[in-house]
């Protein structure tokens, strides 16, 4: 059986990808940050629904580079090799420009760019030949909006990282791609007031947010297709064209 590690895998987009892979008989390792209850609930659900798969939870703060070893040590101790590595955990900071401080700016860079970069460096010996890496980028890395400067900049960096890593991993036959979602109905978006969501809907050709399950075909395609490499697949309901 193949094994995937998904950062931020207990909710939203990450848990939808996890379920899709479980349906395809993968073993999965899910990381999460702080919500132990939600993590236990989703693990229990996955264990009872997909008894043939191994489902492992790791509590790791992807904003703290000291915690890189929690993941790497687990893989090494348990002699696990990965067929897919999905960098999905993300952070944002909506502070207005004049009040952004270095600490908050740095945290968004650590979660979105630095942790994935250095986890990939550490775990690269544990990627099977032909394995695949998929980042969750964002439409906001392509079409900036002013609400979170560090978010847009880091997601653009994620897209650039994907393209720059292709050559680095060519000899290992590891493919690197990203999905850049538009607006997705997850906890991440829950705090947005109804009126703001309605305004966003007007800018989307399909007139609505994406459901996490509607993204999973894209991740599966990037994982399974053996030739797609260095791509950032935008899934935004036509926002970019509207
Ligand atoms: N939702 C959107 O509209 C949208 C659009 C474009 C891109 N994205 C990107 O999609 C990714 C997933 O977002 P989502 O909407 O699915 O979010 P979500 O529903 O809020 O889920 C976030 C997941 O990531 C974990 N997580 C958060 N911060 C973490 C940290 N510092 N270290 C480790 N794990 C952490 C959470 O764990 P806990 O529950 O324990 O905190 C949870 O499992 C992010 O990279 C985001 O930028 C989202």
């Amino acid at each position: 059986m193949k094994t995937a590690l998904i950062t931020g895998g207990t909710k939203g987009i990450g848990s939808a990808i996890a379920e899709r892979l479980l349906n395809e008989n993968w073993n999965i390792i899910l990381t999460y940050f702080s919500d132990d209850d939600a993590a236990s609930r989703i693990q229990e659900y996955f264990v009872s629904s997909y008894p043939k798969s191994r489902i492992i939870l790791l509590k790791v703060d992807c904003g703290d580079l000291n915690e890189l070893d929690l993941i790497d040590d687990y893989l090494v101790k348990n002699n696990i090799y990965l067929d897919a590595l999905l960098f999905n955990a993300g952070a944002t900071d909506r502070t207005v420009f004049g009040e952004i401080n270095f600490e908050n700016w740095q945290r968004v860079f650590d979660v979105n760019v630095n942790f994935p970069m250095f986890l990939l460096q550490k775990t690269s010996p544990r990627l099977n030949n032909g394995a695949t890496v998929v980042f969750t980028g964002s439409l906001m890395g392509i079409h900036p909006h002013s609400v979170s400067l560090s978010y847009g900049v880091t997601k653009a960096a994620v897209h650039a990282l994907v393209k720059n890593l292709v050559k680095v991993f060519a000899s290992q036959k590891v493919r690197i791609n990203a999905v850049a979602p538009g607006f997705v109905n997850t906890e991440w978006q829950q705090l947005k007031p109804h009126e703001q969501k309605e305004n966003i809907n007007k800018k989307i050709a399909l007139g609505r947010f994406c459901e996490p399950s509607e993204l999973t075909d894209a991740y599966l395609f990037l994982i399974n297709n053996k030739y797609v490499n260095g791509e950032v697949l935008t899934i935004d309901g036509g926002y970019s064209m509207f």
Side-chain angles (χ1 to χ4, degrees), residues 10-11 13 33-35 60 62 88 151 155 182 184 186 189:
T10 57
K11 286 181 187 167
I13 297 168
F33 175 34
S34 59
D35 192 342
V60 179
C62 295
N88 172 70
Y151 185 72
K155 290 296 186 177
V184 191
T186 66
Q189 297 284 2

Side-chain angles (χ1 to χ4, degrees), residues 7-14 31-36 38 60-63 87-91 107 111-112 136-139 151 155 180-189 209 219:
T7 67
T10 57
K11 286 181 187 167
I13 297 168
T31 79
Y32 71 103
F33 175 34
S34 59
D35 192 342
D36 299 315
V60 179
D61 177 8
C62 295
F87 291 114
N88 172 70
R107 168 119 185 132
V111 176
N112 294 354
T136 300
S138 173
L139 181 68
Y151 185 72
K155 290 296 186 177
F183 296 86
V184 191
N185 253 330
T186 66
E187 212 169 89
W188 182 282
Q189 297 284 2
F209 281 34
Y219 285 89

Side-chain angles (χ1 to χ4, degrees), residues 183-185 189 197 200-201 204 207-211 214:
F183 296 86
V184 191
N185 253 330
Q189 297 284 2
K197 286 189 181 167
I200 294 169
N201 283 339
I204 303 171
R208 64 173 178 84
F209 281 34
C210 179
E211 293 305 321
E214 292 177 297

Side-chain angles (χ1 to χ4, degrees), residues 1-6 14-30 46-47 49-56 80-86 126-134 175 216 219-226:
M1 267 168 107
K2 290 183 175 175
T3 300
L5 186 144
I6 308 172
S15 70
I17 303 164
E19 180 147 32
R20 188 65 190 264
L21 290 176
L22 288 168
N23 271 304
E24 304 281 324
N25 295 316
W26 284 60
N27 294 319
I28 50 167
I29 303 165
L30 307 176
F46 283 160
V47 166
S49 308
Y50 305 95
K52 288 186 187 146
S53 294
R54 202 148 49 119
I55 296 140
I56 291 151
I80 293 172
Y81 287 84
L82 300 173
D83 301 288
L85 178 49
L86 289 94
R126 307 207 73 80
L127 290 176
N128 279 327
N129 209 275
T132 184
V133 177
V134 185
R175 294 174 301 101
T216 61
Y219 285 89
L220 207 63
F221 165 70
L222 295 177
I223 290 169
N224 286 338
N225 184 287
K226 296 289 176 240

Side-chain angles (χ1 to χ4, degrees), residues 67-201:
E67 298 201 3
L68 285 167
D69 285 335
L70 292 177
I71 298 178
D72 192 49
D73 288 352
Y74 185 86
L75 298 178
V76 172
K77 263 189 209 136
N78 293 283
N79 198 25
I80 293 172
Y81 287 84
L82 300 173
D83 301 288
L85 178 49
L86 289 94
F87 291 114
N88 172 70
T92 190
D93 172 34
R94 300 190 173 95
T95 310
V96 292
F97 177 70
E99 289 169 21
I100 295 170
N101 63 42
F102 182 70
E103 200 185 323
N104 296 347
W105 180 262
Q106 173 85 39
R107 168 119 185 132
V108 179
F109 271 78
D110 282 342
V111 176
N112 294 354
V113 181
N114 298 335
F115 195 95
M117 161 59 204
F118 290 101
L119 184 60
L120 186 55
Q121 185 190 60
K122 236 178 214 301
T123 56
S124 62
R126 307 207 73 80
L127 290 176
N128 279 327
N129 209 275
T132 184
V133 177
V134 185
F135 287 79
T136 300
S138 173
L139 181 68
M140 296 309 142
I142 302 166
H143 292 272
H145 75 156
S146 54
V147 177
S148 175
L149 199 57
S150 54
Y151 185 72
V153 171
T154 53
K155 290 296 186 177
V158 165
H159 300 166
L161 190 59
V162 163
K163 292 179 187 295
N164 281 273
L165 283 169
V166 166
K167 219 169 187 173
V168 176
F169 281 89
S171 60
Q172 234 180 301
K173 301 280 178 263
V174 167
R175 294 174 301 101
I176 321 275
N177 293 288
V179 175
F183 296 86
V184 191
N185 253 330
T186 66
E187 212 169 89
W188 182 282
Q189 297 284 2
Q190 250 170 25
L191 291 178
K192 281 202 173 114
H194 178 73
E195 197 189 350
Q196 193 183 348
K197 286 189 181 167
E198 282 303 305
N199 284 337
I200 294 169
N201 283 339

